[in-house]
Amino acid sequence: MRIFTAALATETNTFSPICIDRRAFEDSLYAPPGTHPQTPTLCTAPITVGRRAAAEKGWTLIEGTAAWADPAGLVNRETYEGLRDEILDQLRAAMPVDAVVLGLHGAMVAAGYIDPEGDLLTRIREIIGPDVLLCAELDPHSHLTAKRVAAADFFVVFKEFPHTDFVARAEDLWRIAVDTLEGRVKPVMSVFDCRMIDVFPTSREPMRSFVDRLTAIEAEDEDVLSLSVIHGFMAGDVPELGTKMIAVTNAKPEKGERLARKLGLELFSLRGTFMMPQIDEKEAVNRALTAPRGPVVIADMWDNPGGGTAGDSTVILEELLLRGATDVAVGMIWDPIAVQLCMAAGEGAEIPLRFGAKSAPGTGNPIDGLVEVVRVVPNAEMRFGESVAPFGDAAHIRHKGIDIVLSSVRVQSYDPSLFTALGIDPQSKRILVIKSTNHFYAAFSKIASEILYCSAGSPYPNDPATNPYRRARRDIWPMTADPHCVEVA
Ligand SMILES: [Zn+2]
């Protein structure tokens, strides 16, 4: 057997001004054929898992390019077309193949391409013909367009959010692909449109139990090869926005449709109950200041560079300054210009500085003031689980009793080590302000006396009912109260 694999992935927040060019892919991950490292980067797991799967069978794995850019705004047209054509040329050169197994994200939008993954999959199908297996792993924060469903045989989607299972799902993808190639199964994909858009953290109920049920059904029902939820991605203004339920069965399309519909309507009946409770910056600062002990962690949950925002909002910091709060550390605010100025000034210098809130509307105002440059660290990094997350050259500044970490690479606040890297002891602080929606929880919950989820300003389009969509469909909840026009318990 000859199998072609490649990866092309990013998550496009179409409201973000941080646009993506080829350099952004190269900064995150760009691996030409055969150069992909041993460890996967989220959406590239089908390549590393594929090496193992092909080796076990003695099959030939032909690796194409793997490219991943951290979430941001629109992808530059030439960048998308260049990476796409690179992969398509590699596939043409690899023909004939028995299967194509891809790592995609599924929420890319490029200039001139509202559905780049649909475009890529369709072009691949044209090259390989109707009978060669074509499958991909997807991130649930994606758009399941009709074009993609028509082009691919099946998709497997991460079940967990935070995405702790991207390797396990790539293993599912390959297991089904191998079983198909060896004639044991015939995967058929059934999709149900839940007609909703929501956010579904699996670290809490009710999504935790729902995902556990999907796993149990997969284990118990031999007709069911895989069950997935496409959560949808509300910051992507695309026509086919929304939550979808996928059932991949062993040649049982009617059963798959029934199951996808049943599970999808169940998800719909729970709409609006998935997210953690959120408070605004005034309430968050109030509660943090009156807490019996620290550190209280305030998560600036929507200014999360992991969702494509700039990560330079100052709304919570402005409120803290207004209240005269001290004994506070803020990590991080993205401001490469300010970092450069601090590095030029040197440690110990006191300088007038403008920092933050420079890149996007709805993120507060730049802070102007005299600051002390406490520490500068070239190529700073923090821990993220087993690996490290670099945040570029960084500066620790002190302003009116508040310690602030400025970074020059946009990355969400995964771990308290972002503070220690700049000489700040996070546990000695009364309040910690961080930028992350959900990924921070595992590490920060270990040191936090309390965690407050704060919705501050409007850095991210987090309310689909009022987001200024131009292309997204309106016939889904919450834009439409009852889009199924049925009584759903
Ligand atoms: Zn995601």
Coordinates of all heavy atoms in Angstrom, one line a residue, residues 321-362:
L321 N -5.8 49.8 37.7 CA -5.2 51.1 38.0 C -6.2 52.1 38.5 O -5.9 52.8 39.5 CB -4.6 51.6 36.7 CG -3.3 50.9 36.1 CD1 -3.0 51.3 34.7 CD2 -2.1 51.1 37.0
L322 N -7.4 52.0 38.0 CA -8.4 52.9 38.5 C -8.7 52.7 40.0 O -9.0 53.6 40.8 CB -9.7 52.7 37.7 CG -10.8 53.7 37.7 CD1 -10.4 55.0 37.0 CD2 -12.1 53.1 37.1
R323 N -8.7 51.4 40.4 CA -9.0 51.0 41.8 C -7.7 51.1 42.7 O -7.8 50.8 43.8 CB -9.6 49.6 41.8 CG -10.8 49.4 41.0 CD -12.0 50.1 41.7 NE -12.2 49.7 43.0 CZ -12.9 48.6 43.4 NH1 -13.6 48.0 42.5 NH2 -13.0 48.3 44.7
G324 N -6.6 51.5 42.1 CA -5.4 51.6 42.9 C -4.9 50.3 43.4 O -4.2 50.2 44.4
A325 N -5.2 49.2 42.7 CA -4.8 47.9 43.1 C -3.2 47.8 43.0 O -2.6 48.3 42.1 CB -5.4 46.8 42.3
T326 N -2.6 47.1 44.0 CA -1.2 46.8 44.0 C -1.1 45.3 44.3 O -2.1 44.6 44.6 CB -0.4 47.6 45.0 OG1 -1.0 47.4 46.3 CG2 -0.5 49.1 44.7
D327 N 0.2 44.8 44.3 CA 0.4 43.4 44.5 C -0.2 42.5 43.5 O -0.8 41.5 43.8 CB -0.1 43.1 45.9 CG 0.7 42.0 46.6 OD1 1.8 41.7 46.0 OD2 0.4 41.6 47.7
V328 N -0.1 43.1 42.2 CA -0.8 42.4 41.1 C 0.3 42.1 40.0 O 1.2 42.9 39.9 CB -1.8 43.4 40.5 CG1 -2.5 42.8 39.2 CG2 -2.9 43.8 41.5
A329 N 0.1 41.0 39.4 CA 1.0 40.7 38.2 C 0.1 40.4 37.0 O -0.9 39.7 37.1 CB 1.9 39.5 38.4
V330 N 0.4 41.0 35.9 CA -0.3 40.8 34.6 C 0.5 40.1 33.6 O 1.6 40.6 33.3 CB -0.8 42.2 34.0 CG1 -1.5 42.0 32.7 CG2 -1.7 42.9 35.1
G331 N 0.1 39.0 33.1 CA 0.9 38.3 32.1 C 0.0 37.6 31.1 O -0.8 36.8 31.4
M332 N 0.1 37.9 29.8 CA 1.1 38.9 29.3 C 0.3 39.9 28.4 O -0.8 39.6 28.1 CB 2.1 38.2 28.4 CG 2.8 37.0 29.1 SD 3.8 36.0 27.9 CE 2.5 35.1 27.1
I333 N 1.0 41.0 28.1 CA 0.4 41.9 27.1 C 1.4 41.9 25.9 O 2.6 42.1 26.1 CB 0.2 43.3 27.7 CG1 -0.9 43.3 28.7 CG2 0.0 44.4 26.6 CD1 -1.1 44.6 29.5
W334 N 0.8 41.6 24.7 CA 1.7 41.6 23.5 C 2.0 43.0 23.0 O 1.1 43.8 22.8 CB 0.9 40.8 22.4 CG 1.7 40.7 21.1 CD1 2.9 40.1 20.9 CD2 1.3 41.3 19.9 NE1 3.2 40.2 19.6 CE2 2.3 40.9 18.9 CE3 0.1 42.0 19.4 CZ2 2.2 41.3 17.6 CZ3 0.1 42.3 18.1 CH2 1.1 42.0 17.2
D335 N 3.2 43.3 23.0 CA 3.6 44.7 22.5 C 5.1 44.7 22.1 O 6.0 45.1 22.9 CB 3.3 45.7 23.6 CG 3.4 47.1 23.0 OD1 4.1 47.3 22.0 OD2 2.7 48.0 23.5
P336 N 5.4 44.2 20.9 CA 6.8 44.1 20.5 C 7.5 45.4 20.5 O 8.7 45.5 20.8 CB 6.7 43.5 19.1 CG 5.3 43.3 18.8 CD 4.5 43.6 19.9
I337 N 6.8 46.5 20.2 CA 7.5 47.8 20.1 C 7.9 48.2 21.5 O 9.0 48.6 21.8 CB 6.5 48.9 19.6 CG1 6.1 48.5 18.1 CG2 7.2 50.3 19.6 CD1 5.1 49.4 17.5
A338 N 7.0 48.0 22.5 CA 7.3 48.4 23.9 C 8.5 47.5 24.4 O 9.3 48.0 25.1 CB 6.1 48.3 24.8
V339 N 8.5 46.2 24.1 CA 9.5 45.4 24.5 C 10.9 45.9 24.0 O 11.9 45.9 24.7 CB 9.3 43.9 24.1 CG1 10.5 43.0 24.3 CG2 8.1 43.3 24.8
Q340 N 10.9 46.2 22.7 CA 12.1 46.8 22.1 C 12.6 48.0 22.8 O 13.8 48.1 23.1 CB 11.8 47.1 20.6 CG 12.9 47.1 19.7 CD 12.5 47.5 18.3 OE1 11.3 47.3 17.9 NE2 13.4 48.0 17.5
L341 N 11.7 48.9 23.2 CA 12.1 50.1 23.9 C 12.6 49.8 25.3 O 13.6 50.4 25.7 CB 10.9 51.0 24.0 CG 10.3 51.6 22.7 CD1 9.0 52.4 22.9 CD2 11.3 52.4 21.9
C342 N 12.0 48.8 25.9 CA 12.5 48.4 27.3 C 13.9 47.8 27.2 O 14.7 48.0 28.0 CB 11.5 47.4 27.9 SG 10.0 48.1 28.4
M343 N 14.1 47.0 26.1 CA 15.4 46.3 26.0 C 16.5 47.4 25.7 O 17.6 47.3 26.2 CB 15.4 45.3 24.9 CG 14.5 44.1 25.3 SD 14.6 42.7 24.1 CE 15.6 41.6 25.0
A344 N 16.1 48.4 25.0 CA 17.1 49.5 24.7 C 17.4 50.3 26.0 O 18.5 50.7 26.2 CB 16.5 50.4 23.6
A345 N 16.3 50.4 26.8 CA 16.5 51.2 28.0 C 17.4 50.4 29.0 O 18.2 51.0 29.7 CB 15.2 51.5 28.7
G346 N 17.2 49.1 29.1 CA 18.0 48.3 30.0 C 17.4 48.1 31.4 O 16.5 48.9 31.8
E347 N 17.8 47.1 32.1 CA 17.2 46.7 33.4 C 17.5 47.9 34.4 O 18.7 48.4 34.4 CB 17.7 45.4 33.9 CG 17.2 44.2 33.1 CD 17.7 42.9 33.5 OE1 18.6 42.8 34.4 OE2 17.2 41.9 32.9
G348 N 16.6 48.2 35.2 CA 16.8 49.3 36.2 C 16.4 50.7 35.7 O 16.3 51.6 36.5
A349 N 16.2 50.8 34.4 CA 15.9 52.1 33.8 C 14.4 52.5 34.2 O 13.6 51.6 34.3 CB 16.1 52.2 32.3
E350 N 14.2 53.8 34.3 CA 12.8 54.3 34.4 C 12.5 55.1 33.2 O 13.3 56.0 32.9 CB 12.7 55.2 35.7 CG 11.3 55.4 36.1 CD 11.2 56.2 37.4 OE1 11.9 57.3 37.5 OE2 10.5 55.8 38.3
I351 N 11.5 54.7 32.4 CA 11.2 55.4 31.1 C 9.7 55.7 31.0 O 8.9 55.0 31.5 CB 11.7 54.5 29.9 CG1 11.0 53.2 30.0 CG2 13.2 54.3 29.9 CD1 11.1 52.4 28.7
P352 N 9.4 56.7 30.2 CA 8.0 57.0 29.8 C 7.7 55.9 28.7 O 8.4 55.8 27.8 CB 8.0 58.4 29.3 CG 9.4 58.6 28.8 CD 10.3 57.7 29.6
L353 N 6.6 55.2 28.9 CA 6.3 54.2 28.0 C 4.8 54.2 27.6 O 3.9 54.4 28.5 CB 6.6 52.8 28.6 CG 6.6 51.6 27.6 CD1 7.7 51.7 26.5 CD2 6.7 50.3 28.4
R354 N 4.4 53.9 26.4 CA 3.1 53.6 26.0 C 3.0 52.1 25.6 O 3.8 51.7 24.8 CB 2.7 54.5 24.8 CG 1.4 54.0 24.1 CD 0.9 55.0 23.0 NE 0.3 56.1 23.7 CZ -0.5 57.0 23.1 NH1 -0.8 56.9 21.8 NH2 -1.0 58.1 23.7
F355 N 2.1 51.4 26.2 CA 2.1 50.0 25.9 C 0.6 49.5 25.9 O -0.3 50.0 26.6 CB 2.9 49.2 26.9 CG 2.4 49.2 28.4 CD1 1.6 48.3 28.9 CD2 2.8 50.2 29.2 CE1 1.1 48.3 30.2 CE2 2.4 50.3 30.5 CZ 1.5 49.3 31.0
G356 N 0.4 48.4 25.1 CA -0.9 47.7 25.0 C -1.9 48.4 24.2 O -1.8 49.5 23.8
A357 N -3.0 47.6 23.8 CA -4.2 48.1 23.1 C -3.8 48.9 21.9 O -4.5 49.9 21.6 CB -5.0 49.0 24.1
K358 N -2.9 48.4 21.1 CA -2.5 49.1 19.9 C -3.1 48.4 18.6 O -3.0 49.0 17.5 CB -1.0 49.1 19.7 CG -0.3 50.0 20.7 CD 1.2 49.8 20.7 CE 1.9 50.7 21.7 NZ 3.2 50.3 22.0
S359 N -3.6 47.2 18.7 CA -3.8 46.4 17.5 C -5.3 46.3 17.1 O -5.5 46.0 15.9 CB -3.2 45.0 17.6 OG -1.9 45.2 17.9
A360 N -6.2 46.4 18.0 CA -7.6 46.0 17.6 C -8.6 46.9 18.4 O -8.3 47.3 19.5 CB -7.8 44.6 17.9
P361 N -9.7 47.2 17.8 CA -10.7 47.9 18.5 C -11.3 47.1 19.7 O -11.2 45.8 19.7 CB -11.8 48.2 17.5 CG -11.6 47.3 16.4 CD -10.1 46.8 16.4
G362 N -11.9 47.7 20.7 CA -12.6 47.0 21.7 C -11.7 46.4 22.8 O -12.1 45.5 23.5

